[in-house]
Amino acid sequence: MSIRVLVADDQDLVRTGLAMSRDAQPGIEVVGQAADGREAVEFARRLRPDVCVFDIRMPGMDGIAATRELAGAGVDDPMAIVVITTFDLDEYVYGALKAGARGFLLKDAGPELLVQAIHAAANGDALIAPRITARLLATFSDAPTGRTPIQPIDPLTSREEQVLTAVAGGRTNAEIAGDLHISLSTVKTHITGVMSKIGARNRVEIAMWAYETGRIKH
């Protein structure tokens, strides 16, 4: 089955280019294109794509607001969203991830990385442009958030702590399985357990929690 993708960008040339390059990838089908955030939300709710690829800077409703509408806290059936932008600004990255995005890439990242991000989002993983991941999490772990990180009622097991650290370090499920010499299904079970205990919705929030609680140093 192909991964059904919705692309949203206010620039027609960029939107068309993204759609054409995605359609050229085996296993990916672009099912819709939107020119602004409101249209993107409307199309996403109607088409129910597997993954949405949103630009940040769009008129009317930007990509972060659109992401929040479709994947934010309180959304019953959050969608998988990858945010892309020309601008390497921490506040954009942080805003997108807090809104529920499962990936963040710069437009110059290249088609291969975007395809990886789409596949990761479709599989419930998260992919962030490598050059900004550590900087982003380190920067915002020190910023006042106005809240205290949730502490699990049931402490994480030693194995869950290992998996947590690996996820925060950007390791994929397959890499974690290899590192810890456990099966892929066991990794997924531990990640589900961690998310349940700390109230995280995805791998990005697991990583943020690890930094906020001082489990990952920088």
Side-chain angles (χ1 to χ4, degrees):
M1 294 291 291
S2 294
I3 298 173
R4 302 171 66 255
V5 176
L6 169 68
V7 176
D9 194 299
D10 64 323
Q11 297 182 33
D12 182 67
L13 184 63
V14 174
R15 187 173 64 251
T16 303
L18 282 171
M20 289 178 64
S21 62
R22 296 291 66 74
D23 267 338
Q25 299 292 334
I28 292 178
E29 175 191 3
V30 176
V31 295
Q33 299 180 42
D36 60 63
R38 293 191 187 283
E39 191 175 52
V41 171
E42 177 187 340
F43 284 7
R45 287 174 173 163
R46 177 160 53 87
L47 298 172
R48 298 300 302 182
D50 300 311
V51 178
C52 299
V53 178
F54 289 170
D55 184 26
I56 282 189
R57 301 185 83 173
M58 295 187 289
M61 176 186 287
D62 64 22
I64 293 177
T67 297
R68 191 177 298 112
E69 286 284 322
L70 298 170
V75 176
D76 291 333
D77 188 15
M79 292 189 180
I81 299 173
V82 175
V83 173
I84 59 173
T85 183
T86 306
F87 305 95
D88 183 10
L89 299 177
D90 284 340
E91 56 266 33
Y92 282 173
V93 187
Y94 189 69
L97 299 181
K98 293 299 285 186
R102 286 193 193 168
F104 188 100
L105 295 177
L106 301 177
K107 287 185 178 178
D108 63 3
E112 183 177 346
L113 198 58
L114 180 53
V115 169
Q116 290 179 27
I118 289 172
H119 279 279
N123 291 327
D125 291 342
L127 191 153
I128 308 171
R131 84 186 199 206
I132 60 177
T133 304
R135 189 193 76 224
L136 164 81
L137 294 172
T139 298
F140 285 96
S141 66
D142 292 335
T145 61
R147 66 181 178 84
T148 301
I150 294 174
Q151 297 299 325
I153 296 175
D154 296 322
L156 300 182
T157 66
S158 59
R159 184 63 90 186
E160 286 173 340
E161 290 280 3
Q162 290 176 318
V163 171
L164 170 81
T165 301
V167 169
R171 307 292 281 171
T172 66
N173 285 1
E175 289 171 337
I176 296 171
D179 293 343
L180 300 181
H181 306 291
I182 56 180
S183 69
L184 199 57
S185 62
T186 300
V187 173
K188 293 178 180 179
T189 298
H190 286 314
I191 290 176
T192 299
V194 170
M195 289 194 295
S196 176
K197 287 182 178 181
I198 69 176
R201 295 172 299 166
N202 53 50
R203 298 167 78 90
V204 173
E205 291 189 358
I206 289 177
M208 287 183 174
W209 187 86
Y211 275 85
E212 288 173 350
T213 56
R215 283 168 165 78
I216 306 295
K217 305 297 182 181
H218 60 272

